[in-house]
Amino acid sequence: MDTLGFLRQVPPFDRLDQETLTDAAAAMTVVRMARGTQILQQGDAPSAYLNLIRQGEVALTQDGRMIQVLEEGELFGYPSMLSHEPPLFDVTAAGDVVLYRLPEAAFRRLLTHSAVADYFLRSLGERLRSAATSASPTSAQNLAVPVKFLVTGPPLFVEADATIQQAARRMTDANAGSVLVATDPPGIITDRDLRGRVLAAGRGPETRAADVMSRPLLTLDSDSPVFAALLRMLEQNIHHLALVEEGEVIGMISSSDLLRHQAQSPLYLHRRLQEAEGVTDIAQYADDVAHTVESLFHGGLGAAQIGRITSSLNDALTHRLVALAEADLGAPPTPYAWIVFGSEGRSEQMLLTDQDNALIYAEDVPGAADYFSALAAKVVDGLLHAGFPPCPGGYMATNWCMPLADWEALFAKWIRTPEPQALMEAGIFFDFRRVYGTLALEPLEEILADAHKNGIFIAHLVRAAQDFNPPLGFFGRIRSEGGKIDIKQGGIAPIVGLARACALAAGSRERSTLERLAVAANAGTISRVGAENLAETFQFLLRLRLRQQLADLQAGDAPSNLLALDALSGMEQRHLKDALGNIRQMQEGIGATFQTGMMR
C-alpha cells in the first residue's frame, strides 16, 4: 500500500481533502530504525517530528517502567512538540520499525485544518464522544431533533372561569387532545380529565375549568431534543407536554405527535404494557424491546439514553405485573415496595438480561410473609414469560423478600463488614430503585448516604472495582481470546464500580453511572478530568456492546458481552485501546487515593 493509501486509513489524516493529504505525504520522510534504537528520550529535547508508525512497534517507558507499546497506525511525539516541553517517555523501537515523520512546520500547517486540530488538541473524552457521534447515522426520524419542530400550532387557552363545556368545545374545534387554562401558573385539561374528572365524577357542563385542571403544568424547553420529551412522558406517565421559551408556553406536543415522528416509538409499546391483562399479552415483550432498541440505535440515539428508555419500559411492565398480582391476591396486608437493582436500578439496561429484583414490606404482620411470597412468585413468573431470564445468582424477589427492618440490618451489616460476598451483594443492591409500591425507603437511603463515614468500606468498594481487569497486556496491547473480549467485565463493570464507590464516598444518592461520576467530580472524590474521561469511555463502550449485541440478534444468536475485534474499524480499535488504558489508569489513581494498596 502506498503512502497516500495508508494515510487515508489513519485518523486524523482520513478527514483531509485530497490536496491537503497529498501535501502532507510529500512533506513526510521515511525512516527505518533497528530494534533497540532510542527515538525519544524522557526529559531530553522536545520532539521535532510527528511520528506515524508504518510498520513495527515502539515501546513507551517512564522511569524504567514499561507503559505501552504503540503499533502500526499510531502516532507519537506530538504532545512534546505542541508544548515545546521535554518528552514524558522514553520511546524505543521494540523491533525493526518504519516511521513516517512529519516536520514541525508541516505539522503546524496541518493544525489550521479543524479536523486535525480537533484530533490533536482534544482530550481522550472528547475524541471518544466524537467517535460515538460520527458513528451515529442520521435520519429524518432522529431523536436529537429539537422538539419544537413537532409543534403544529400555537397553544390553546381558555380562561380560568370558562366552563368545562367551553373547554371541550375549544378542544373539539381545534381537533386537540388538551387545552391550557390561563391561571398563574397555567393548568391543563386533557381528554383523560374530561372522562375521569367530569363524566365519571358526575360533574355537569357548567363546572369551572379551573376546578378540574391539572397543575403544575409539566414543561420542557422547546430546544430540548425529541428524546427528552419522550423520556419525560415515559417516566411521568403523561401524554401531553408544554414547550416553553423564556418562560412562555409556545406550544404543546402529545404522545401522538411522538408516535407519528417515529414508527417504532417506545410510547406505543408503553401504552400496550399499560393495557396488558395477563402473561399472554406480554409474551412478545423481549422481541418488541429488541426492535425498539434497534430503531432507537439506528436513529442515532446514544446507548446511555437508550438504556433510560428501555428501563422506563421495563418499569411499566413490572408495574403492570405487580398491579395484576395485587388484583388476584387482594389488598396487601402492609405497605411495600418492589425494587430493582443492578443495571436496571441504574437505568442502564438495554436488551433484556437476567432479573435483578427484590421486595420490601413495612412490617411482619400476620399473613404478610405468605402474601408477599405469592406476589413475588407471580411477578417473577410474569417477567420470565416476558423474556427476562432468571438471575443465576438468585437475586430475585422470590428469594429476597423481607420486612424493612431486616433490610436495614442487612444494609448496615454490608457496610460494617465488607467481606467478598457482602461486597458483591452491596454493590448490586446499592443500585436499588423503587418501581412500585407506597413504602417509603428513606431508612435505606440514609444508610447509603452515611456510607462515606466508613472509609474502610469505601476502600473495599474501590478495591472490588480494581478486580475487573481491562483486557490489556503488559505493553498496552488489547488481549483477546479467539478475537473477542468481554467488554462488560473488562470495561463497563470497572467504570460502574469506580463511579459507585466515588459517589458513595461523596455521600450521594445518585444511581446512574454518569450521574455518579458528575457528583463525585463536584465533590472532589474523583478528578473532574478523570470523571469526564470515564463518562465518555463508558458511553463509547456501551455503544460498542449494543452494536455487537444487535448484530448477535441479527445472526440468530443470543446477545452477549463478547465484542468481536475484527468487527471494529481501525479507528475504533485505537479508540478502544485508549479507552481501556484510561480505565486502568483511573483504577490505579483512584486506588491510590483510597489507599487500596494497603489491602493487598
Side-chain angles (χ1 to χ4, degrees):
M1 184 185 302
D2 62 12
T3 302
L4 282 176
F6 182 74
L7 290 178
R8 288 192 189 99
Q9 299 181 1
V10 177
F13 299 101
D14 58 341
R15 301 184 185 182
L16 295 175
D17 59 77
Q18 183 63 32
E19 181 180 356
T20 306
L21 187 65
T22 301
D23 290 344
M28 289 180 172
T29 56
V30 180
V31 179
R32 291 175 170 81
M33 296 181 176
R35 177 188 181 91
T37 302
Q38 186 163 38
I39 305 169
L40 293 174
Q41 183 174 345
Q42 180 182 348
D44 203 351
S47 174
Y49 299 96
L50 170 70
N51 297 276
L52 169 60
I53 303 173
R54 178 63 178 87
Q55 293 177 4
E57 300 173 340
V58 302
L60 273 61
T61 57
Q62 188 175 58
D63 300 324
R65 183 169 65 95
M66 176 68 74
I67 301 298
Q68 189 176 5
V69 170
L70 301 182
E71 303 168 310
E72 179 181 309
E74 295 193 88
L75 299 157
F76 65 92
Y78 61 89
S80 171
M81 187 165 55
L82 285 170
S83 65
H84 289 290
E85 296 289 337
L88 297 176
F89 305 100
D90 287 321
V91 182
T92 308
D96 292 342
V97 66
V98 178
L99 301 178
Y100 288 159
R101 306 187 97 173
L102 187 68
E104 181 176 355
F107 175 60
R108 291 194 179 276
R109 286 197 298 272
L110 278 185
L111 289 178
T112 62
H113 295 265
S114 60
V116 177
D118 285 350
Y119 182 86
F120 286 108
L121 302 178
R122 289 180 308 174
S123 68
L124 169 66
E126 289 172 312
R127 293 205 303 273
L128 294 179
R129 179 164 58 249
S130 176
T133 301
S134 63
S136 300
T138 58
S139 71
Q141 308 301 323
N142 199 309
L143 289 176
V145 172
V147 70
K148 62 185 176 185
F149 292 121
L150 274 61
V151 175
T152 57
L156 298 177
F157 274 96
V158 295
E159 296 301 321
D161 58 358
T163 66
I164 200 67
Q165 184 178 44
Q166 291 171 325
R169 186 179 298 118
R170 185 90 168 91
M171 292 165 62
T172 301
D173 292 343
N175 192 28
S178 65
V179 65
L180 300 178
V181 183
T183 55
D184 187 18
I188 185 173
I189 296 174
T190 68
D191 284 332
R192 182 183 293 185
D193 294 329
L194 293 177
R195 293 192 303 270
R197 298 182 181 180
V198 180
L199 294 177
R203 287 174 159 165
E206 298 305 316
T207 302
R208 291 176 68 249
D211 292 337
V212 295
M213 68 180 180
S214 297
R215 278 202 304 185
L217 179 66
L218 292 180
T219 64
L220 187 70
D221 188 277
S222 64
D223 287 320
S224 301
V226 169
F227 156 72
L230 171 62
L231 191 62
R232 179 71 63 86
M233 288 187 181
L234 288 171
E235 292 181 341
Q236 299 293 328
N237 192 24
I238 58 174
H239 299 279
H240 298 84
L241 194 57
L243 302 183
V244 296
E245 287 183 2
E246 298 181 356
E248 296 294 324
V249 178
I250 57 95
M252 297 289 298
I253 60 166
S254 67
S255 57
S256 297
D257 295 325
L258 295 185
L259 284 169
R260 283 191 296 270
H261 180 70
Q262 191 193 24
Q264 292 282 350
S265 173
L267 285 168
Y268 178 70
L269 179 53
H270 188 267
R271 187 176 301 171
R272 282 175 44 204
L273 292 172
Q274 291 179 313
E275 298 170 354
E277 294 297 331
V279 293
T280 56
D281 294 332
I282 58 170
Q284 298 300 313
Y285 180 70
D287 289 339
D288 291 340
V289 165
H291 290 315
T292 298
V293 168
E294 184 175 24
S295 175
L296 296 173
F297 181 80
H298 291 305
L301 201 61
Q305 297 166 323
I306 293 174
R308 288 186 64 185
I309 289 177
T310 305
S311 294
S312 293
L313 293 173
N314 293 344
D315 289 353
L317 169 67
T318 302
H319 195 281
R320 186 59 180 158
L321 289 173
V322 179
L324 290 173
E326 269 192 13
D328 287 344
L329 297 171
T334 187
Y336 71 100
W338 184 279
I339 64 171
V340 293
F341 40 91
S343 61
E344 179 68 8
R346 299 189 304 271
S347 295
E348 293 167 0
Q349 188 169 103
M350 283 166 276
L351 300 176
L352 303 193
T353 57
D354 53 282
Q355 298 186 41
D356 287 313
N357 49 56
L359 196 150
I360 306 172
Y361 52 96
E363 298 178 281
D364 192 14
V365 297
D370 290 341
Y371 177 92
F372 291 115
S373 177
L375 185 140
K378 285 180 174 291
V379 177
V380 166
D381 184 64
L383 291 170
L384 290 172
H385 278 85
F388 283 90
C391 176
Y395 294 103
M396 298 181 294
T398 43
N399 300 320
W400 294 82
C401 179
M402 296 177 287
L404 179 58
D406 291 355
W407 283 100
E408 290 181 66
L410 194 57
F411 270 43
K413 179 182 176 183
W414 283 334
I415 294 174
R416 189 173 58 250
T417 314
E419 298 172 348
Q421 180 65 23
L423 282 172
M424 183 179 72
E425 292 172 349
I428 294 172
F429 280 101
F430 283 7
D431 297 341
F432 82 87
R433 182 169 57 81
R434 182 175 61 187
V435 173
Y436 188 98
T438 60
L439 178 63
L441 300 180
E442 187 61 22
L444 299 184
E445 294 282 4
E446 290 177 353
I447 293 174
L448 286 186
D450 287 342
H452 70 281
K453 297 176 182 177
N454 189 326
I456 294 177
F457 171 72
I458 298 296
H460 275 283
L461 278 186
V462 174
R463 182 69 187 88
Q466 290 178 301
D467 287 339
F468 293 100
N469 294 313
L472 292 173
F474 288 113
F475 307 129
R477 295 190 185 93
I478 297 178
R479 187 179 64 248
S480 66
E481 294 185 13
K484 297 182 178 181
I485 63 170
D486 189 325
I487 196 66
K488 178 180 178 181
Q489 293 296 311
I492 295 170
I495 298 176
V496 168
L498 291 174
R500 179 191 295 123
C502 291
L504 288 175
S508 171
R509 300 185 182 192
E510 294 290 355
R511 296 296 193 269
S512 88
T513 299
L514 294 178
E515 290 168 344
R516 281 171 163 170
L517 288 171
V519 299
N522 288 335
T525 56
I526 185 174
S527 71
R528 190 166 299 279
V529 171
E532 290 173 354
N533 284 342
L534 278 183
E536 296 303 333
T537 297
F538 181 66
Q539 294 178 90
F540 174 69
L541 298 181
L542 285 182
R543 181 172 185 81
L544 291 184
R545 181 179 68 167
L546 180 56
R547 189 178 69 185
Q548 178 68 60
Q549 290 179 335
L550 290 173
D552 292 339
L553 288 176
Q554 198 72 258
D557 300 325
S560 75
N561 293 303
L562 296 179
L563 179 67
L565 295 180
D566 61 7
L568 305 181
S569 68
M571 183 188 302
E572 287 174 331
Q573 290 195 32
R574 284 187 281 274
H575 283 319
L576 177 60
K577 183 177 178 181
D578 287 344
L580 296 175
N582 178 56
I583 293 171
R584 175 175 286 177
Q585 290 176 10
M586 292 303 298
Q587 285 177 312
E588 294 174 355
I590 295 172
T593 299
F594 290 94
Q595 299 182 325
T596 58
M598 306 282 291
M599 303 161 57
R600 296 180 187 274

